[in-house]
Amino acid sequence: EDQVTQSPEALRLQEGESSSLNCSYTVSGLRGLFWYRQDPGKGPEFLFTLYSAGEEKEKERLKATLTKKESFLHITAPKPEDSATYLCAVQAYRDDKIIFGKGTRLHILP
Amino acid sequence: EAQVTQNPRYLITVTGKKLTVTCSQNMNHEYMSWYRQDPGLGLRQIYYSMNVEVTDKGDVPEGYKVSRKEKRNFPLILESPSPNQTSLYFCASSLSRSVNTIYFGEGSWLTVV
């Protein structure tokens, strides 16, 4: 069964304190892995798509990486406005179904 | 501006009273879907539509209906809502079902009492 597990569930960091969020997945034939940002009471907002192991993508203070078993979302020198829930999702070639993880709630303290 | 618009954003209703949540997108996307988001369970797909007049069940379709008569609109219908359908609902769209950016609406908070 295809699965996505995100860790930690919640993370509190001081402003400027870099860290990484983890997304472990099992899927037969990965078409793509996605990262989304979700602010409280709002819809998820697309951040990145990664297609193959070794691929990396960056946007401002965020960098996403992908291996054959997991993806990391690295946050460098975060600011309070980076506080949000970060969702990971995978899509399989087999049926194009997208499976979301439960998310990591990130809180950056000023 | 690319948008997925849902209405209503907030609704409290009573058990058994039929309701419809509307969804409209302005990007000419073929693929549209509905999700519900519950604490501890994450986002789960209710129904999806590959194109006009083509709809299919997602992971949690029980108690819901959808229709796709026009490309831009994809309403979610709760014929006889029950308290276990209290949730945050999201409409989403993308160019196709295969790898593409998914655009989500702002969400509809539904409470069934």
Side-chain angles (χ1 to χ4, degrees):
Chain A
E1 184 185 343
D2 299 337
Q3 271 191 328
V4 178
T5 304
Q6 292 188 245
S7 61
E9 286 187 18
L11 182 62
R12 293 167 72 93
L13 299 171
Q14 289 294 138
E15 183 172 2
E17 181 184 358
S18 301
S19 188
S20 297
L21 313 183
N22 177 263
C23 172
S24 297
Y25 66 91
T26 53
V27 64
S28 52
L30 179 72
R31 184 188 280 279
L33 183 141
F34 312 93
W35 282 99
Y36 285 83
R37 170 192 170 125
Q38 185 176 21
D39 292 303
K42 299 215 168 178
E45 179 185 343
F46 173 79
L47 291 174
F48 305 109
T49 305
L50 301 167
Y51 297 100
S52 57
E55 189 174 359
E56 299 182 352
K57 289 198 175 167
E58 286 189 65
K59 180 180 180 179
E60 295 179 359
R61 294 177 291 283
L62 300 176
K63 178 180 176 181
T65 62
L66 181 65
T67 72
K68 289 186 178 178
K69 293 183 178 180
E70 58 192 350
S71 175
F72 291 94
L73 185 65
H74 307 277
I75 302 176
T76 302
K79 299 182 178 181
E81 53 261 42
D82 294 322
S83 297
T85 295
Y86 291 86
L87 301 173
C88 172
V90 298
Q91 185 177 35
Y93 273 111
R94 182 181 68 253
D95 54 9
D96 280 336
K97 184 175 176 179
I98 295 178
I99 300 170
F100 282 86
K102 295 178 182 179
T104 293
R105 293 189 312 278
L106 177 65
H107 187 52
I108 308 300
L109 301 165
Chain B
E1 183 191 347
Q3 269 190 331
V4 178
T5 304
Q6 301 177 222
N7 279 295
R9 294 287 319 280
Y10 304 92
L11 180 65
I12 300 174
T13 191
V14 296
T15 299
K17 185 176 180 183
K18 180 180 178 180
L19 70 93
T20 299
V21 186
T22 64
C23 173
S24 181
Q25 49 94 2
N26 64 358
M27 296 165 279
N28 202 35
H29 284 169
E30 289 188 347
Y31 186 77
M32 296 185 74
S33 58
W34 277 101
Y35 291 86
R36 61 178 289 173
Q37 188 174 39
D38 302 288
L41 296 177
L43 278 164
R44 295 179 293 167
Q45 193 178 54
I46 303 170
Y47 267 94
Y48 65 90
S49 170
M50 305 274 275
N51 213 325
V52 176
E53 302 291 2
V54 181
T55 63
D56 209 345
K57 296 177 181 178
D59 296 316
V60 288
E62 294 79 20
Y64 305 95
K65 282 176 59 176
V66 293
S67 67
R68 187 95 181 269
K69 292 184 170 53
E70 302 167 285
K71 198 171 187 178
R72 63 183 292 127
N73 296 324
F74 190 45
L76 178 70
I77 303 156
L78 286 75
E79 293 270 1
S80 182
S82 61
N84 64 11
Q85 292 179 295
T86 293
S87 187
L88 175 57
Y89 291 86
F90 290 104
C91 181
S93 76
S94 62
L95 207 55
S96 71
R97 194 182 185 193
S98 56
V99 180
N100 271 293
T101 302
I102 299 176
Y103 294 83
F104 285 86
E106 291 281 277
S108 295
W109 290 89
L110 173 65
T111 301
V112 183
V113 297

